[in-house]
């Protein structure tokens, strides 16, 4: 066991964790932040993507211990004062989701893209979302939503 | 995943002191964590080397570029110095996996793992790299021993990889559409004295294709290798590609690489 201190969605969290606790289960099981989903649990699907110190990563493949001291943003941390983030708005407006399982990871990954590239082309959006798998939408509306969000952010 | 003791080493000395016959270094974790979860590997101690400052960064000299072991794929892909000196290496890094893998995965972890379809091993062979460890310097041609096997001894730590700057080079991969790992990747590099054609994905371990490099040494153009047929008897065959298809892909990707040089 060890103590980790993290800033999660703007709040400081200090908790005891096992050395092998994954960031994904730390968020879901210890903090009840179940918006971060676990799909494949083997680094392939991107349902578990969160931001650590401003960059997206797959939380199923990081240890709570190894990001000790970092700032984490999850899907729950995107809305401000009950108002959806422009990326969430765009996904809603353009039907960028059906079952919604992939959506938190898709949105977190797409937000990271727009931090790095304000006006991505369709190809750049598709390349960036390489690590996010959606079994429902066929991706067209996801790409459209990211483009729409780029005009609002 | 079985429990283990996590240690964050502050310097190289501490990392090697902590290592034992039942430990592993943890860099990006993009291979170690999934394989521990799947029960393919288990360790008593994981020694995190990410916080050792000396192990990260890119240094350019007149003849070579040295990349620290824990430098992430994204840092290699975005490096301005590298884009000027060995642009093919930056673009190789840009083609690894997906952005989240590139945000965590490291060059040292990739070559220590020596996956038969990983990208970086081909760069090491093509660019006559030297692997600097905490103990010695190893030529790339002697480093990659076989499938998931390297010359590293237990507890030996890669500190940096030094690549020779070629006159021209290009890496062309035919990626698996799902994972982006190479079904076949070919790295062609023309140095002052030699030409290397490093191939990944085709055989159980990266190799330098002597037939292709010999043909290109006589005449560095696609016509020199146009109709070559490679022996596929020791090539990989799986659901993604047969050995014969891989043999043909090696020539196709080599031609693309020569064209792009
Ligand atoms: C979805 C997915 C897609 C991927 N696609 C690709 C791809 O297209 N191409 C590609 O090449 N790779 C790909 N990878 C692998 C990726 O590049 C990893 O970064 C790499 O395999 C391991 O690097 P790491 O830093 O994560 O190493 P870790 O998982 O931390 O370590 C891997 C092994 O290397 C050892 N090690 C790490 N650093 C050192 C060191 N400095 N000295 C000695 N030993 C060390 C560890 O002990 C461990 O045994 C992919 C991975 C995933 C999950
Ligand atoms: S659950 Fe992490 S990538 Fe699928
Ligand atoms: S909306 Fe169902 S998986 Fe993407």
């Amino acid at each position: 066991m060890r103590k980790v201190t993290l800033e999660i969605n703007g709040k400081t969290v200090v908790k005891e964790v096992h050395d092998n606790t994954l960031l994904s289960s730390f968020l879901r099981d210890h903090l009840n932040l179940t918006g971060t989903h676990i799909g494949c649990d083997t680094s392939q699907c991107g349902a578990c993507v969160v931001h650590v110190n401003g960059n997206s990563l797959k939380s199923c493949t990081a240890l709570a211990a190894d990001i000790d001291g970092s700032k984490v943003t999850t899907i729950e941390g995107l809305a401000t004062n009950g108002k959806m983030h422009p990326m969430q708005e765009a996904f809603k407006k353009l039907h960028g989701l059906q079952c919604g399982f992939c959506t938190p990871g898709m949105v977190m990954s797409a937000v990271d893209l727009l931090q790095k590239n304000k006006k991505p082309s369709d190809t750049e959006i598709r390349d960036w979302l390489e690590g996010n798998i959606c079994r429902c939408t066929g991706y067209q509306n996801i790409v459209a939503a990211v483009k729409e969000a780029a005009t609002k952010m | 995943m079985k429990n283990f003791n996590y240690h964050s080493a502050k310097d190289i000395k501490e990392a090697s002191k902590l290592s034992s016959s039942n430990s592993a270094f943890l860099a990006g974790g993009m291979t170690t964590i999934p394989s521990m979860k799947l029960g393919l590997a288990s360790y008593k101690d994981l020694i995190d080397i990410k916080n050792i400052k000396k192990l990260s960064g890119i240094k350019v000299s007149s003849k070579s570029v040295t990349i620290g072991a824990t430098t992430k794929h994204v840092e290699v892909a975005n490096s301005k110095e590298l884009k000027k000196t060995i642009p093919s290496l930056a673009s190789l890094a840009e083609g690894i996996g997906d952005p989240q893998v590139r945000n965590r995965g490291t060059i040292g972890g990739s070559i220590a793992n020596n996956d038969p379809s990983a990208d970086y091993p081909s760069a090491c062979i093509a660019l006559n790299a030297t692997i600097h460890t905490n103990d010695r310097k190893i030529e790339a041609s002697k480093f990659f021993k076989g499938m998931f096997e390297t010359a590293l001894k237990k507890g030996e730590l890669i500190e940096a990889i030094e690549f020779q700057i070629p006159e021209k080079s290009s890496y062309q991969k035919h990626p698996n559409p799902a994972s982006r790992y190479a079904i076949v990747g070919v790295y062609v590099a023309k140095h002052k004295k030699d030409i290397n054609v490093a191939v990944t994905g085709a055989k159980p371990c990266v190799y330098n294709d002597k037939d292709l490099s010999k043909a290109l040494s006589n005449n560095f153009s696609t016509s020199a290798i146009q109709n070559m047929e490679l022996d596929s008897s020791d090539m990989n065959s799986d659901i993604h590609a047969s050995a014969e298809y891989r043999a043909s892909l090696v020539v196709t990707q080599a031609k693309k690489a020569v064209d792009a040089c």
Side-chain angles (χ1 to χ4, degrees), chain B residues 104-148:
Chain B
R104 293 283 276 178
T106 69
I107 187 167
S110 174
I111 69 163
N113 193 47
N114 193 19
D115 188 297
S117 36
D119 297 305
Y120 273 128
S122 71
C124 295
I125 297 288
L127 302 173
N128 295 328
T130 307
I131 321 299
H132 297 242
T133 76
N134 56 341
D135 187 40
R136 55 188 169 144
K137 293 179 185 175
I138 312 169
E139 305 280 306
S141 57
K142 300 200 174 101
F143 183 83
F144 301 101
K145 292 281 193 194
M147 199 159 136
F148 295 108

Side-chain angles (χ1 to χ4, degrees), chain A:
Chain A
M1 296 290 278
R2 63 180 48 246
K3 195 161 82 178
V4 292
T5 308
L6 294 162
E7 187 185 313
I8 302 206
N9 299 329
K11 284 194 205 107
T12 303
V13 172
V14 184
K15 287 248 182 214
E16 284 270 316
V17 296
H18 286 290
D19 287 17
N20 68 347
T21 303
L22 296 166
L23 177 58
S24 52
S25 52
F26 181 69
L27 294 169
R28 291 176 54 85
D29 306 336
H30 298 231
L31 302 177
N32 215 16
L33 292 169
T34 53
T36 297
H37 290 170
I38 298 171
C40 65
D41 208 12
T42 49
S43 336
Q44 318 276 326
C45 75
C48 64
V49 170
V50 301
H51 296 184
V52 173
N53 296 332
N55 293 311
S56 52
L57 62 74
K58 293 173 179 174
S59 62
C60 73
T61 315
L63 303 172
D66 92 59
I67 62 149
D68 189 14
S70 307
K71 281 186 188 179
V72 180
T73 308
T74 70
I75 191 75
E76 289 90 347
L78 282 190
T80 36
N81 301 325
K83 193 173 173 306
M84 278 194 278
H85 184 279
M87 188 64 75
Q88 292 171 306
E89 284 285 2
F91 268 68
K92 181 175 172 222
K93 180 174 156 199
L94 293 169
H95 300 279
L97 65 150
Q98 287 178 24
C99 79
F101 194 84
C102 69
T103 315
M106 246 346 143
V107 167
M108 294 312 286
S109 187
V111 169
D112 190 23
L113 167 63
L114 295 191
Q115 286 170 6
K116 281 153 196 164
N117 179 352
K118 292 203 163 43
K119 281 224 168 335
S121 65
D122 280 26
T123 311
E124 286 169 334
I125 296 172
R126 285 175 189 277
D127 280 352
W128 185 272
L129 295 177
E130 180 62 46
N132 292 85
I133 294 171
C134 175
R135 281 290 171 255
C136 302
T137 63
Y139 301 99
Q140 305 290 354
N141 291 351
I142 292 176
V143 176
V146 179
K147 283 204 110 162
E148 160 96 2
T151 67
K152 304 272 158 71
M153 278 169 67

Side-chain angles (χ1 to χ4, degrees), chain A residues 42-45 58 61, chain B residues 23-35 43 46 49 55 69-70 73 92 95-98 101 104-113 115 117-121 152 155-159 173 175 178-182:
Chain A
T42 49
S43 336
Q44 318 276 326
C45 75
K58 293 173 179 174
T61 315
Chain B
S23 71
F25 296 121
L26 179 70
M30 297 309 300
T31 296
T32 307
I33 295 178
S35 42
Y43 307 101
L46 272 193
I49 55 171
L55 290 182
T70 61
H73 306 332
L92 173 148
I96 295 177
D98 56 56
V101 170
R104 293 283 276 178
T106 69
I107 187 167
S110 174
I111 69 163
N113 193 47
D115 188 297
S117 36
D119 297 305
Y120 273 128
L152 287 175
E156 190 170 1
L157 181 76
I158 302 171
E159 295 190 358
K173 90 164 147 174
S179 73
R180 298 277 132 179
Y181 270 105

Side-chain angles (χ1 to χ4, degrees), chain B residues 2-224:
Chain B
K2 279 199 189 142
N3 208 355
F4 48 78
N5 301 308
Y6 168 90
H7 312 267
S8 174
K10 60 178 182 313
D11 53 33
I12 294 166
K13 224 167 143 190
E14 190 185 358
S16 35
K17 211 164 141 197
L18 284 165
S19 88
S20 72
S21 59
N22 202 357
S23 71
F25 296 121
L26 179 70
M30 297 309 300
T31 296
T32 307
I33 295 178
S35 42
M36 289 179 80
K37 282 205 247 177
L38 293 168
L40 299 171
S42 78
Y43 307 101
K44 192 167 145 283
D45 298 286
L46 272 193
I47 305 155
D48 194 344
I49 55 171
K50 279 194 291 295
N51 301 318
I52 305 176
K53 290 222 168 59
K54 205 187 144 203
L55 290 182
S56 172
I58 299 175
K59 278 192 224 103
V60 177
S61 74
S62 61
K63 293 209 174 112
S64 67
V65 175
T66 304
I67 305 184
T70 61
T71 310
K72 294 179 186 128
H73 306 332
V74 64
E75 291 160 344
V76 175
N78 292 340
S79 162
K80 290 204 181 84
E81 300 103 306
L82 200 58
K83 283 183 187 169
K84 271 188 238 147
T85 47
I86 319 180
S88 57
L89 188 54
S91 83
L92 173 148
E94 179 68 37
I96 295 177
D98 56 56
Q100 289 75 34
V101 170
R102 297 195 289 273
N103 276 341
R104 293 283 276 178
T106 69
I107 187 167
S110 174
I111 69 163
N113 193 47
N114 193 19
D115 188 297
S117 36
D119 297 305
Y120 273 128
S122 71
C124 295
I125 297 288
L127 302 173
N128 295 328
T130 307
I131 321 299
H132 297 242
T133 76
N134 56 341
D135 187 40
R136 55 188 169 144
K137 293 179 185 175
I138 312 169
E139 305 280 306
S141 57
K142 300 200 174 101
F143 183 83
F144 301 101
K145 292 281 193 194
M147 199 159 136
F148 295 108
E149 206 190 315
T150 67
L152 287 175
K153 288 180 285 199
K154 193 78 206 163
E156 190 170 1
L157 181 76
I158 302 171
E159 295 190 358
I161 301 102
E162 182 180 0
F163 297 96
Q164 300 306 315
I165 301 173
E167 289 177 351
K168 301 180 196 180
S169 64
S170 169
Y171 177 63
Q172 298 289 327
K173 90 164 147 174
H174 185 77
N176 176 319
S179 73
R180 298 277 132 179
Y181 270 105
I183 288 179
V184 163
V186 178
Y187 207 132
V188 172
K190 185 173 185 301
H191 298 271
K192 213 170 192 169
K193 294 204 186 111
D194 55 352
I195 289 175
N196 294 324
V197 181
V199 180
T200 188
K203 294 189 182 181
C205 182
V206 65
Y207 73 100
N208 201 352
D209 197 297
K210 298 285 182 237
D211 295 334
L212 288 169
S213 48
K214 197 165 156 218
L216 289 172
S217 303
N218 298 330
N219 170 15
F220 193 75
S221 77
T222 50
S223 59

